[in-house]
Amino acid sequence: MTTDPVPDLTIPLSVADAQVLGDDVGQLAMRLGAVLHGLAQLRVGGASTEDLATTILMSDGLMNRLAGIRDAAVRQHAAQGGSYGALAGAMGVTRATAQSRRNTLLKKDPSEMEKWATGSS
């Protein structure tokens, strides 16, 4: 059995989007690359403790940023009058769960990662 070589990972991003994101593009790509490498090492059973520590660090940082992006999107969805039903569909949860999550989020000030996501930190 032969396998095709895996191509380099390409993330389609317009020049305008890349300019808005600035240095964050490289930081996110670096974290994602490290997490994917760690995942590969976990699957083949070849992860050293150093690999595992890097995977934990990078995945934690990536998850924090993704949570900030999600929370910023939910907050802006609410500000633009988005429905609970549409939010539930996007989140893959019931309408009641989406309503509860959004209402809980809106009661709090934006987190540092949410501010980072909107570029206001």
Side-chain angles (χ1 to χ4, degrees):
M1 177 174 88
T2 62
T3 59
D4 293 329
V6 177
D8 289 339
L9 177 65
T10 301
I11 300 172
L13 192 63
S14 72
V15 171
D17 286 347
Q19 287 174 337
V20 168
L21 296 174
D23 292 339
D24 290 330
V25 169
Q27 288 296 317
L28 288 169
M30 183 262 317
R31 287 179 188 280
L32 179 59
V35 168
L36 291 174
H37 172 73
L39 176 59
Q41 294 304 303
L42 286 168
R43 288 187 176 180
V44 299
S48 68
T49 56
E50 187 175 317
D51 286 336
L52 295 169
T54 299
T55 301
I56 293 164
L57 176 67
M58 291 298 142
S59 60
D60 200 39
L62 190 57
M63 286 189 303
N64 289 337
R65 283 163 178 74
L66 291 173
I69 294 166
R70 180 207 53 223
D71 290 351
V74 169
R75 192 178 298 274
Q76 288 189 13
H77 184 266
Q80 293 178 14
S83 72
Y84 291 122
L87 182 60
M91 297 175 100
V93 298
T94 66
R95 184 186 178 285
T97 298
Q99 181 176 354
S100 174
R101 288 182 185 176
R102 183 172 95 176
N103 291 345
T104 299
L105 175 72
L106 295 179
K107 290 177 186 174
K108 301 184 293 187
D109 290 334
S111 68
E112 287 305 310
M113 283 292 105
E114 190 179 339
K115 290 176 187 175
W116 166 84
T118 60
S120 60
S121 65

